[in-house]
């Protein structure tokens, strides 16, 4: 079992998080004060946690820009 996990997923500069859009699904649960501070109290073997959110592509994004997002 893993305890006191923090998931970080800083958004690419061309994206803006939609406020209130972070949600969790799966066996484990979590809380999020912000997208840089997703806290998971425990994740047991075989459990899953999916973190979902919505983001807007900003007007400053150049047409054809490849937007990559990776959580850790």
């Amino acid at each position: 079992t893993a305890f006191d996990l923090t998931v970080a997923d800083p958004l690419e500069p061309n994206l803006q998080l939609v406020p209130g859009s972070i949600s969790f699904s799966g066996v484990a649960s979590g809380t999020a004060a912000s997208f840089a501070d997703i806290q998971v109290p425990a994740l047991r073997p075989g459990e899953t946690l999916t973190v979902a959110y919505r983001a807007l592509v900003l007007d400053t994004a150049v047409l054809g820009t490849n937007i990559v997002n990776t959580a850790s």
Side-chain angles (χ1 to χ4, degrees):
T1 301
F3 295 99
D4 300 322
L5 304 168
T6 299
V7 178
D9 189 2
L11 293 179
E12 205 256 14
N14 288 311
L15 297 176
Q16 179 181 22
L17 179 67
V18 174
S21 70
I22 300 172
S23 64
F24 301 92
S25 64
V27 176
S29 64
T31 59
S34 70
F35 210 59
D37 188 28
I38 299 171
Q39 302 296 316
V40 181
L43 190 63
R44 291 170 182 74
E47 287 187 329
T48 61
L49 173 67
T50 301
V51 180
Y53 64 92
R54 291 183 301 141
L56 298 174
V57 177
L58 299 175
D59 292 339
T60 54
V62 177
L63 182 64
T65 298
N66 186 21
I67 298 175
V68 178
N69 183 318
T70 304
S72 60

